[in-house]
Structure formats: structure tokens, C-alpha cells
Amino acid sequence: MTNTYYRDQGPVMPSLDRPIGCPFDPSPEVTALRAELPIARLAAPEGAPGVWLVTGYELVRKILADPRFSSRYETQYHPLMGAHLPPAPIGDLTGMDAPEHTRIRKMLAGKFTVRRMNQLTERVTEITRTQLDEMEKQGPPADLVQVFAHPIPAQMICELLGVPYGERADFMGFTQSVSSGDDPEAQFAAFAQLGEYLQNLARAKRANPTDDLLSDLTASDLTEDELGGVAAFLLGAGLDTTANMLALGTFALLRNPSQLAALRDDPSLVESAVEELLRYLSIATTGMRGVLEDIELGGAPLKAGDTVIIAVNAANRDPAKFPDPDVLDFRRSAAGHLAFGHGIHQCLGQQLARVEMRVAFPALLARFPSLRLAVPAEEVPLRDPIQIYGVRSLPVTWE
């Protein structure tokens, strides 16, 4: 097999910053590396484990499906930190391997079936209509993140966890502070408040169950700490991701007027439009895995203890899988995209996210047919690409 990796000298960690003027495209450095070396060993300090960057679609898919690549954070060496990551918090399925992951995921899987999530469509529709009413009442200009993209998934999380109505305003305030990223101290304080709130909510549900997912889980063998931890995991996995897809997705639509018009004029396109936006934007830019045993991948000799960094956005733009990948095209089939991951860690809440997007995008475009950016596109503030990618605010206006 021909080697397609750096044997002795590798690049330093390439920049993940999106190209200037192209906020939806992967980093040019990462894109160039994918074309030349779909798996590349990165330069690392002497004595550090090997670190590999994987950008090719087929290789990323193989890694995500192979249990020899560990999701446990403590197996992963972060090249920018120069250290291994700490273990996952209790209840964080993203940082677990089998059998711990299997035990908890089985308890949750039945709560997130396609059928059950589709049953929530009516409630998503009600929440979306309420937010559009509020947006119209406030009048232009408006920050789409504050009045639309964040409140819809936040309220759906309230529904799933059974947050009492009288406590939802405070809960939404905490989530807004955690998601904003504008003030690290306030963000950390809000995160601590959310953690404490969710632990108390879990105790309350155990004492007095109601009709919600968290109450259902009190009948399982989850410990009190695990129950609160799972609630925090569901919040983190289902809020920031969908909120940023709604905001960045709207930004992408406004920058691609032909696709916006196609979606507005042909409601049958909504499902393919959502899948294409997921592929095109890939807001969960990267992931990591620890290598548990010696293995060859794409010609590269990975060793036990190495780390692989997965460039999901580069894989979802791989022309070997998706022709003309840098073009947003709602009439293409984006089947097989990796925006929700692959394998045993594929996103549990993906069906709910799909429902929210399938309802929200068409409703927004129908209510505000003249919607446009209120500032030049280059002035829209973007989030750190190492985190969940998106916009910190999206000023819009309309007639």
C-alpha cells in the first residue's frame, strides 16, 4: 500500500479558521491537507504521543465505527494544550466507551425514536410560531440568535427535561449565558448554576415524577449523580448545536439567495435542505479519539497511545464522497454526511434536531419573505471554530 501520511516531519496543527469572506467553508489549510494527505501526522513535542489529523471522508467514517479508537477523553492528547484531556464528567456519553456508554445509551435510545420525535412536531410548531410573533412584535432590526435560534431548542429542552413553567425564564437565562461565549467568567458561573439546577431538578423528579424524559429515567438504575449528569449532557448536546444550526443556517440561506428561493417556493425540499445544510456547515468542526492498539489506517502506522483528530467539516466536503462539495445544493443527496457522527456515538437527539430545523426554516422564510442581513456579511461575529461553530449574533431586518 502506498503511504499517504507524513512519515517523519509533519505539519504543525493547521489553522481551523474559516477563510476570510467565506464563513461556511473549512479552513484552507485543512482543505489543502485533505487533498494531499487525508491522514497526516502532526508535529509534536519530543516525548509526546503521535497526533494525526484525519480529513478524508472514508477514513473518518472508519474511525468513528471502530472500537479501537476510544472516545474516553483521558486517552486523547490535545496538541494545543500539550496534555491529555481530563476524564469526562459523570453522565457525559460523548466521553465514554462500552460498556458504560452502552448501559446509559440503551436507557435513552427508546426516548429518542423517530416516531416519538415526530410526535413533538406540533409543539415545535407552536414554539416557533410564538418566537416569530415575538420577533415581529419587536420589529426590525433583530438579533436572530436571541429571538429565534436559541429560544426554540432551549424551550424544547425544557419540555424534554420537564423544567417547571415558573422556572423556565431563569433556566433560559442560564442557557443563554452558557451559549454566548462573550464573557468567560459569566459563562462559567452560568454553567455552574445550570449544573446545580439540573441536579436539584433530577432529585425533584425522583421524588415526584411528571410526564417527561427525566422523570422516565428516574425509574432506571442511574444514580442521582448520573441522572443529573445525563440531564446536563442532553442540554449540552441538544441546545447549542441546534441553536447554531438555525442561526448559521439562516446566514447561509441569506448568502445563497437561489437556494433560499428554492426552499421557500418548494416545501417538498425541506428535508433535503436540512440534510444539505448539516453537511455544508458541519458546525461540530472536529472530534478526537484515542488509539487503543497498534493499527494501520490509510497506510499510516498508528500506535497505541496516539491520538487522532477528526476534521468533520473537511470530511463532509470531501469531493470523493460529495461532488462539487463546496456548493450548497438542496437538490443533491447529502445522505451519509457525518454532521451527527457515525457509529455508536451517533447523536441521540438527531431526529429532534431535524424536526426543529424542518419546522423553523420554512416558517421563518414564510413569515419574513424580505428577511436580509442588517449588517455587511463580514461584520457578522463568528464563534471559535474549535468549539461548536456558528455566529454569536445575526442581525437581520425586513420590511
Side-chain angles (χ1 to χ4, degrees):
M1 179 180 293
T2 302
N3 289 333
T4 57
Y5 59 92
Y6 284 114
R7 179 183 295 278
D8 296 314
Q9 287 260 307
V12 296
M13 181 65 185
S15 170
L16 297 176
D17 291 337
R18 311 280 171 135
I20 295 174
C22 300
F24 315 115
D25 294 342
S27 151
E29 291 183 34
V30 172
T31 298
L33 198 58
R34 183 194 61 217
E36 182 183 1
L37 298 164
I39 176 168
R41 186 165 61 194
L42 305 181
E46 186 175 351
V51 178
W52 304 81
L53 179 66
V54 184
T55 51
Y57 175 88
E58 288 298 337
L59 294 180
V60 168
R61 188 177 169 90
K62 285 180 181 179
I63 290 168
L64 294 176
D66 193 329
R68 293 174 293 180
F69 294 92
S70 175
S71 291
R72 288 184 293 116
Y73 300 154
E74 65 270 27
T75 69
Q76 302 162 16
Y77 178 87
H78 198 298
L80 300 182
M81 293 172 52
H84 282 84
L85 298 175
I90 293 174
D92 182 354
L93 272 72
T94 308
M96 294 180 186
D97 290 341
E100 294 83 5
H101 174 269
T102 308
R103 179 177 72 92
I104 296 179
R105 187 173 177 109
K106 279 185 175 179
M107 296 177 193
L108 292 170
K111 319 295 182 186
F112 285 93
T113 61
V114 175
R115 177 175 170 273
R116 185 165 184 173
M117 292 304 101
N118 284 336
Q119 288 174 343
L120 293 174
T121 300
E122 183 177 346
R123 185 64 183 128
V124 173
T125 301
E126 292 173 358
I127 291 171
T128 300
R129 186 183 303 117
T130 298
Q131 292 309 130
L132 290 173
D133 290 345
E134 181 63 25
M135 185 171 162
E136 189 169 17
K137 179 181 176 182
Q138 290 183 17
D143 177 5
L144 196 83
V145 172
Q146 296 286 336
V147 299
F148 184 77
H150 181 270
I152 292 172
Q155 291 189 60
M156 287 308 300
I157 290 291
C158 286
E159 298 277 330
L160 284 177
L161 298 181
V163 176
Y165 283 96
E167 299 174 10
R168 291 192 178 185
D170 288 341
F171 182 85
M172 298 268 286
F174 294 152
T175 62
Q176 187 70 59
S177 296
V178 168
S179 299
S180 70
D182 292 333
D183 183 342
E185 287 191 15
Q187 190 178 25
F188 182 80
F191 187 79
Q193 288 174 306
L194 261 180
E196 182 179 358
Y197 175 84
L198 290 171
Q199 287 289 350
N200 290 334
L201 182 64
R203 293 189 190 99
K205 297 295 181 183
R206 195 179 290 279
N208 296 290
T210 51
D211 185 18
D212 52 75
L213 184 149
L214 193 56
S215 293
D216 289 351
L217 291 174
T218 62
S220 70
D221 65 357
L222 291 174
T223 67
E224 191 169 283
D225 286 344
E226 285 177 329
L227 195 60
V230 167
F233 165 75
L234 293 173
L235 171 66
L239 173 53
D240 212 21
T241 47
T242 305
N244 279 284
M245 270 304 304
L246 290 174
L248 192 66
T250 301
F251 189 14
L253 286 169
L254 295 176
R255 298 294 290 164
N256 289 271
S258 65
Q259 296 305 296
L260 185 154
L263 178 58
R264 177 185 288 135
D265 297 342
D266 185 355
S268 70
L269 278 180
V270 65
E271 291 191 14
S272 63
V274 165
E275 299 307 311
E276 173 68 348
L277 284 167
L278 286 162
R279 179 202 70 84
Y280 182 75
L281 299 175
S282 299
I283 60 169
T285 304
T286 61
M288 294 174 65
R289 294 291 189 271
V291 182
L292 297 181
E293 61 183 71
D294 294 357
I295 182 174
E296 183 180 281
L297 182 73
L302 279 61
K303 301 295 183 184
D306 285 357
T307 292
V308 291
I309 300 173
I310 300 164
V312 176
N313 60 345
N316 273 340
R317 296 287 190 95
D318 190 339
K321 172 63 178 177
F322 302 103
D324 296 322
D326 297 327
V327 174
L328 182 67
D329 180 4
F330 292 161
R331 297 190 184 279
R332 85 158 78 234
S333 171
H337 70 73
L338 302 172
F340 289 122
H342 178 63
I344 67 168
H345 283 279
Q346 194 170 42
C347 177
L348 264 172
Q350 61 182 285
Q351 301 306 336
L352 176 58
R354 285 185 167 104
V355 169
E356 291 170 330
M357 287 184 279
R358 289 170 185 171
V359 169
F361 284 129
L364 175 67
L365 299 181
R367 180 70 71 91
F368 301 106
S370 62
L371 190 74
R372 64 185 186 277
L373 293 176
V375 299
E378 58 270 18
E379 293 181 14
V380 173
L382 303 173
R383 289 173 53 130
D384 187 334
I386 295 178
Q387 301 173 356
I388 298 297
Y389 185 61
V391 296
R392 287 191 283 115
S393 64
L394 188 67
V396 294
T397 190
W398 60 92
E399 275 78 43

